[in-house]
């Protein structure tokens, strides 16, 4: 019987499952290699001041060198296998290095927003790490903003909020990313020491047009009531931009203005 089981063992995994296991094992080894050999890069997407129609800051978005795999995929895997901490530390250091390079080159500096995983926030020494990076580089902390998602509220809520407050005390901005995709409600917003709320593309797609425009206006005005600036993500055409402007969004980000850019293209970017 054992023999029979052994023989049949392969049947527990369908061909599709085997392929996806392979795929994951390969990605895991690519990620380890990328961490060891620094094979990541950051692209920079302009975030536009909606009223002034000029660049307010950039969002740094990670890529693996020689790969077009979405970070939405590989960051999730990096979180599972414990690589998110070294990757996240690389992101912070690289963004600061880039800011210093732009400064050296005489560019007028705009802040850079960095995406931070909830697993990083939960690290005991994360705030200390940020502090060290700010101090050793001499960078103005207001040039760095961190983007977090609502999942920081899922576990260790009190602790995470304490860390976020400490990050604010360092002088860095904090944006709540992907708002509208999670499980949390508007009432949680009041407890978060954030300076900005980024409305997810999906919420904008759902509410920007038609009769539901008032929902969008309502969300934006609640955010303003809590003294948060509002960024709308995934703006893809003029019509959406015009609507969002009327609805009171402070900043817009999306392919209509620019895709994420190489650093040299980001500093020379100007809005058409
Ligand atoms: P996010 O932080 O919400 O970033 C916005 C995503 O929307 C980016 O995808 C951006 O390229 C994309 N996007 C911008 N404008 C448009 C548009 O007009 N239309 C559409 N359809 N998409 C638009 P990207 O670069 O693939 O990143 C995906 C997610 O991966 C990010 O979502 C963020 O959650 C995560 N991520 C990216 N870089 C990092 C990082 O350095 N660390 C961590 N922890 N996560 C990161
Ligand atoms: Mg983000
Ligand atoms: Mg987002
Ligand atoms: Mg996202």
């Amino acid at each position: 019987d054992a023999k029979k089981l052994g023989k049949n063992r392969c049947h527990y995994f369908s061909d599709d499952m085997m392929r996806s296991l392979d795929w994951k094992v390969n990605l895991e080894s690519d990620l380890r290699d990328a961490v060891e050999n620094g094979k990541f890069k950051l692209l920079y997407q302009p975030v536009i001041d909606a009223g002034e129609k000029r660049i307010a800051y950039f969002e740094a978005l990670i890529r693996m060198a020689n790969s077009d795999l979405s970070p939405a995929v590989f960051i999730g895997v990096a979180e599972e296998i414990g690589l998110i901490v070294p990757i996240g530390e690389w992101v912070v250091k690289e963004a600061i290095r880039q800011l210093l390079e732009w400064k050296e080159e005489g560019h007028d500096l705009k802040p850079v927003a960095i995406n931070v995983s909830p697993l990083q926030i939960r690290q005991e020494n994360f705030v200390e790490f940020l502090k060290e990076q700010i101090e050793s580089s001499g960078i103005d902390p207001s040039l760095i903003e961190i983007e977090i998602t609502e999942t920081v509220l899922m576990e260790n809520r009190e602790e995470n909020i304490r860390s976020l407050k400490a990050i604010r005390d360092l002088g860095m901005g904090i944006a709540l990313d992907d708002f509208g995709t999670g499980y949390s409600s508007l009432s949680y917003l009041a407890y978060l020491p954030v300076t900005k709320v980024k409305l997810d593309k999906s919420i904008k797609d759902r509410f920007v047009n038609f009769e539901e425009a008032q929902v969008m206006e309502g969300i934006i005005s609640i955010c303003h009531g809590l003294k948060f600036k509002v960024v709308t993500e995934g703006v893809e055409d003029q019509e959406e931009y015009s609507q969002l402007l009327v609805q009171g969004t402070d900043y817009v980000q999306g392919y209509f203005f620019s895709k994420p850019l190489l650093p040299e293209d980001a500093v020379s970017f100007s809005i058409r």
Side-chain angles (χ1 to χ4, degrees):
D1 268 340
K3 213 167 152 194
K4 213 168 162 190
L5 262 178
K7 200 175 151 206
N8 285 336
R9 206 169 48 199
C10 282
H11 297 293
Y12 291 138
F13 300 106
S14 67
D15 285 355
D16 275 359
M17 281 166 80
M18 287 303 283
R19 263 193 294 277
S20 78
L21 284 174
D22 267 3
W23 170 89
K24 218 171 150 193
V25 169
N26 285 336
L27 175 55
E28 288 179 12
S29 81
D30 287 352
L31 281 169
R32 289 183 213 286
D33 172 53
V35 168
E36 267 164 44
N37 301 299
K39 293 185 187 165
F40 291 106
K41 63 184 179 209
L42 293 179
L43 298 183
Y44 296 84
Q45 188 177 33
V47 179
I48 314 296
D49 181 315
E52 307 274 330
K53 223 181 163 182
R54 57 165 193 238
I55 301 179
Y57 64 103
F58 295 102
E59 178 177 5
L61 294 157
I62 197 169
R63 298 291 182 267
M64 285 172 84
N66 317 314
S67 157
D68 50 20
L69 187 64
S70 164
V73 175
F74 70 76
I75 289 291
V77 173
E79 285 172 335
E80 281 174 34
I81 63 175
L83 286 181
I84 192 61
V85 171
I87 292 174
E89 291 184 350
W90 179 85
V91 171
V92 172
K93 289 180 181 167
E94 173 58 17
I96 291 176
R97 190 205 59 75
Q98 185 63 68
L99 279 162
L100 293 174
E101 185 181 307
W102 281 336
K103 186 178 175 189
E104 181 86 16
E105 292 169 355
H107 295 290
D108 163 24
L109 293 185
K110 301 269 198 291
V112 170
I114 295 167
N115 292 282
V116 171
S117 159
L119 295 180
Q120 288 174 268
I121 307 276
R122 214 186 292 161
Q123 291 287 306
E124 226 175 280
N125 61 356
F126 183 62
V127 178
E128 195 52 37
F129 168 79
L130 288 176
K131 188 165 179 250
E132 276 165 23
Q133 296 306 309
I134 298 283
E135 281 170 2
S136 64
S137 64
I139 201 93
D140 175 351
S142 67
L143 287 171
I144 306 283
E145 176 164 291
I146 71 161
E147 298 196 1
I148 52 150
T149 57
E150 292 162 286
T151 39
V152 295
L153 294 172
M154 236 154 79
E155 289 164 34
N156 307 89
R157 191 191 317 172
E158 307 298 317
E159 271 164 74
N160 288 343
I161 289 180
R162 222 175 300 130
S163 298
L164 295 175
K165 287 198 170 122
I167 293 169
R168 287 283 302 124
D169 290 342
L170 292 177
M172 298 169 56
I174 303 179
L176 180 64
D177 204 356
D178 299 347
F179 188 74
T181 59
Y183 53 88
S184 86
S185 69
L186 281 168
S187 65
Y188 279 130
L189 276 180
Y191 300 102
L192 280 176
V194 303
T195 44
K196 282 195 186 90
V197 172
K198 299 187 80 175
L199 302 181
D200 193 69
K201 184 180 185 312
S202 60
I203 217 177
K204 185 263 314 167
D205 288 346
R206 183 149 172 228
F207 296 125
V208 78
N209 288 315
F210 320 117
E211 301 83 358
E212 284 163 321
Q214 306 97 291
V215 177
M216 195 71 179
E217 286 184 34
I219 294 169
I220 292 171
S221 83
I222 289 171
C223 290
H224 284 164
L226 293 166
K227 308 283 182 267
F228 304 143
K229 296 286 185 189
V230 176
V231 185
T232 305
E233 298 189 291
V235 179
E236 292 182 347
D237 59 48
Q238 171 69 53
E239 204 182 320
E240 286 179 354
Y241 168 55
S242 307
Q243 271 286 348
L244 287 163
L245 202 55
V246 172
Q247 294 167 353
T249 197
D250 302 288
Y251 304 99
V252 282
Q253 178 180 2
Y255 299 158
F256 176 58
F257 298 98
S258 172
K259 63 184 192 341
L261 301 169
L262 291 169
E264 57 270 32
D265 297 328
V267 270
S268 61
F269 180 82
S270 62
I271 301 166
R272 0 166 215 150

